[in-house]
Amino acid sequence: MTKSCKLPWLVSLVLLIAVLAMGYMFMLRGNVVASNDSRTAIVVTADERDLLLAEMRGFLEAIQEITEAIGDGDMETASNSARAVGAAAAQGVPVALMGKLPLEFKTLGLSTHTLFDELAMNAMDMGDENIMITSVGTLLQNCTSCHAGYKIIAETPVN
Ligand code: HEC
């Protein structure tokens, strides 16, 4: 092969490596740094942190409403509260923020929304309090395992 033939291959190879590296950063790794406790710190803007934490408070509110509704035997309220934080609620997450979240974090987050949808369906289909409360317990494992592994920090310190 002459020198002029090799050059396009070289350029392609460099581009391929660049694309793979970007894919790795965007899809798998996210924008993370080590932190002084054992958790992985995800670095986002102050606004993105607000958005994630607001979503979290929505999760906790839903759990509160659902457990109270199960206690009251009010499956319709349990179902509505679960549906409110189902997969449809996750669609508002901006692409730029998605790219900063590690794959495991995204997977756990999405599975949590999906479990809320399942809970909403089961409330209406079966309406069995015992099954419902066990499902809530299973769902809460998603919360605790993600909290054990990650924290969210802002690029510029906020209050
Ligand atoms: C995919 C990961 C993940 C899942 C799943 C998850 N959380 Fe979180 N949550 C976090 C992280 C990260 C923080 C920020 C912790 C930190 O920075 O110290 C947080 C913070 C919170 C906060 C504090 C909000 C604030 O205003 O400071 C609450 C409340 C919360 N989560 C509730 C929940 C509940 C309830 C669930 C389950 C239904 C849940 N989370 C599921 C990752 C997750």
Side-chain angles (χ1 to χ4, degrees):
M1 236 186 242
T2 63
K3 214 177 184 179
S4 61
C5 270
K6 271 186 199 152
L7 193 63
W9 284 107
L10 202 66
V11 171
S12 304
L13 190 68
V14 169
L15 282 176
L16 180 68
I17 291 170
V19 166
L20 288 177
M22 273 160 55
Y24 169 72
M25 292 294 289
F26 197 81
M27 293 298 299
L28 297 178
R29 184 173 178 275
N31 194 23
V32 296
V33 292
S35 68
N36 53 0
D37 52 27
S38 57
R39 295 177 295 169
T40 301
I42 304 171
V43 186
V44 295
T45 65
D47 285 347
E48 289 167 342
R49 181 170 179 275
D50 284 347
L51 191 140
L52 284 169
L53 293 180
E55 187 181 356
M56 291 298 151
R57 294 192 296 277
F59 274 160
L60 186 56
E61 271 173 42
I63 292 287
Q64 190 280 324
E65 289 167 10
I66 292 163
T67 38
E68 192 174 311
I70 294 172
D72 292 344
D74 179 358
M75 290 305 153
E76 194 170 346
T77 300
S79 182
N80 289 341
S81 299
R83 184 75 68 197
V85 287
Q91 279 162 10
V93 179
V95 178
L97 174 54
M98 275 292 193
K100 295 176 185 175
L101 306 175
L103 184 63
E104 185 196 40
F105 189 95
K106 281 187 283 231
T107 310
L108 255 175
L110 196 63
S111 104
T112 307
H113 285 292
T114 309
L115 285 174
F116 273 113
D117 278 333
E118 280 175 25
L119 207 63
M121 270 192 307
N122 290 344
M124 295 320 283
D125 288 352
M126 294 185 276
D128 181 294
E129 281 98 354
N130 286 332
I131 295 178
M132 287 289 289
I133 210 69
T134 305
S135 306
V136 171
T138 309
L139 192 155
L140 282 169
Q141 283 177 357
N142 269 29
C143 321
T144 52
S145 63
C146 192
H147 291 162
Y150 295 98
K151 64 164 79 165
I152 299 164
I153 57 175
E155 286 159 1
T156 43
V158 283
N159 297 321

